[in-house]
Amino acid sequence: MTRVAFIGLGNMGSGMAANQAKAGREVVAFDLSADALSRAKEQGINPASSAGEACKDADMVITMLPAGQHVRDLYMEAVLPNAPKDALLIDCSTIDVDSARTVARDASMQGFRAADAPVSGGTAAASGGTLTFMVGCREQDFPEIEAALKPMAKAIIRAGDSGTGQAAKICNNMLLGISMIATSEAFALAESLGLDAQKFFDISSQASGQNWSMTSYCPWPGPVPAAPSNRDYEGGFAAAMMLKDLKLAQDAADASGAPTPLGGAAEALYGELVRGGYGGKDFSIILQMLRGTLALNRE
Ligand code: NAD
C-alpha cells in the first residue's frame, strides 16, 4: 500500500490528508497540535509522534505549513534526514519562491525528487478534493507528482521548474487582490453616483469591466448569491491570507525588480483592513472598507 507522510493538519491539510486516506493510501501524519492529530485519527489517519517518524518508510511526503521558515526548518530537521531517498517530496504550502527553490535544491543534492505545489481553492476545496495545484518540478518527475496529488485535485498544472509553482500562485493572487479592490471601487463609485448596484452589475458583467471578482465572487451582497458578501463576509478566503500572499508578491517584486505599483497599493489597503480588525473576514469585505461602513481599529 502506498504510504503517505502528511505534515501540517491545519485548516487545509486536515481535509487534504483525509482525501489521501479515502483514496486507499496509508497516511501517517504529524502536526504540532495534539487536537489536530486526534481529529485526524477519526478520518482514518495514523498519528505519528514526530515529523521524522512520519517520514520513515514513506513513498511520498506532503507538507502543508504556514510559511517559508516552517518549510525550510522542517525539511532540514525532519524530512531530509528521515525520508527514504526514493520518496517524492511535495510542499503544498504557499511560501516565497526563494524558500521553495532552496528546499528543492537541498533535496535534490541529497538525491530526492522534490516539488513545490501550492494550491488554489480554500478549505471547502481541500475537503472536497477539488483543489487546483500549480507545480514546480523537473519535467520527468511530473507524472508521479501528478499521480500523488490526484486524490486532492480538480486540476494539476506544471508551471515549470522548482519555484515556478509558487511564482504562479503569488502572481495569480496579486491579480485577484487587485481585481477585488478595482471591482469594489467601481461599486462604491456607482453608489455615490446614484447608480443601483444590481443595475451596475447587470451592465458591467456583460461589458468590458467583467471579471471573476465581479461575476463569481461579487463583493456587493445580492448579485451573486453564493458569494461570501451574502453571509456577512464569513468563510471564503480570509483577508489575512490575502495580505500574506500580497506581501509575498511584493517581496518577490522587490527582489526581482519587477514593477508592481498596483500590487503595492493592494498590499497597503489589505494591511489597513487587517490592522483594522477584519483579517478573519472574507477578503471581499474590502468593499465595505472603501464604502466607509467598517469601524476600523486604528490603535
Ligand atoms: P493553518 O495555520 O490552519 O495550518 C498549518 C498547520 O501547520 C497548523 O495545524 C500547525 O500546527 C502546523 N504546523 C506548523 N509548524 C509545524 C511543524 N513544524 N510540524 C508540524 N506541524 C506544523 O494554515 P492553513 O489555512 O491550513 O494553510 C496552510 C498553507 O496553505 C498556508 O501556506 C496557506 O497560505 C496556504 N493556503 C491556505 C488557504 C486557506 O484558505 N486556508 C488557501 C490556499 C492556500
Side-chain angles (χ1 to χ4, degrees), residues 53-136:
E53 188 204 296
C55 291
K56 286 193 177 129
D57 303 323
D59 296 303
M60 61 186 81
V61 178
I62 301 176
T63 43
M64 193 55 169
L65 298 168
Q69 186 71 51
H70 303 88
V71 176
R72 287 199 307 274
D73 291 350
L74 189 89
Y75 265 61
M76 206 51 84
E77 290 158 18
V79 179
L80 300 182
N82 289 289
K85 290 284 184 260
D86 59 354
L88 277 179
L89 309 183
I90 308 175
D91 178 44
C92 297
S93 328
T94 300
I95 65 172
D96 58 286
V97 174
D98 280 351
S99 291
R101 289 192 169 136
T102 300
V103 296
R105 189 200 54 221
D106 292 349
S108 137
M109 278 165 54
Q110 297 192 30
F112 289 98
R113 292 159 300 153
D116 50 294
V119 303
S120 176
T123 52
S127 310
T130 55
L131 293 166
T132 294
F133 287 85
M134 309 156 211
V135 183

Side-chain angles (χ1 to χ4, degrees), residues 32-251:
L32 295 175
S33 151
D35 280 354
L37 275 179
S38 65
R39 278 196 303 274
K41 220 171 160 183
E42 291 159 21
Q43 309 263 10
I45 293 164
N46 304 314
S49 60
S50 68
E53 188 204 296
C55 291
K56 286 193 177 129
D57 303 323
D59 296 303
M60 61 186 81
V61 178
I62 301 176
T63 43
M64 193 55 169
L65 298 168
Q69 186 71 51
H70 303 88
V71 176
R72 287 199 307 274
D73 291 350
L74 189 89
Y75 265 61
M76 206 51 84
E77 290 158 18
V79 179
L80 300 182
N82 289 289
K85 290 284 184 260
D86 59 354
L88 277 179
L89 309 183
I90 308 175
D91 178 44
C92 297
S93 328
T94 300
I95 65 172
D96 58 286
V97 174
D98 280 351
S99 291
R101 289 192 169 136
T102 300
V103 296
R105 189 200 54 221
D106 292 349
S108 137
M109 278 165 54
Q110 297 192 30
F112 289 98
R113 292 159 300 153
D116 50 294
V119 303
S120 176
T123 52
S127 310
T130 55
L131 293 166
T132 294
F133 287 85
M134 309 156 211
V135 183
C137 68
R138 293 188 314 176
E139 196 166 7
Q140 63 266 39
D141 297 336
F142 184 63
E144 271 193 77
I145 287 158
E146 194 177 18
L149 297 174
K150 205 156 190 184
M152 309 182 290
K154 171 180 76 178
I156 305 165
I157 301 157
R158 179 173 176 268
D161 291 333
S162 293
T164 56
Q166 297 295 349
K169 167 79 185 179
I170 62 176
C171 291
N172 179 71
N173 279 21
M174 183 182 79
L175 181 55
L176 174 62
I178 292 168
S179 76
M180 181 55 76
I181 293 169
T183 302
S184 297
E185 276 189 9
F187 272 104
L189 177 61
E191 178 183 34
S192 65
L193 297 176
L195 170 59
D196 177 69
Q198 181 66 51
K199 276 278 174 255
F200 173 57
F201 176 87
D202 294 344
I203 293 164
S204 197
S205 62
Q206 300 200 57
S208 47
Q210 187 278 333
N211 71 91
W212 186 90
S213 292
M214 172 176 282
T215 50
S216 296
Y217 213 88
C218 189
W220 192 284
V224 176
S229 53
N230 300 293
R231 316 187 287 270
D232 192 26
Y233 302 92
E234 291 295 340
F237 183 48
M241 287 281 184
M242 174 51 84
L243 180 60
K244 172 194 165 184
D245 292 355
L246 289 168
K247 280 184 193 296
L248 287 174
Q250 286 316 104
D251 289 348

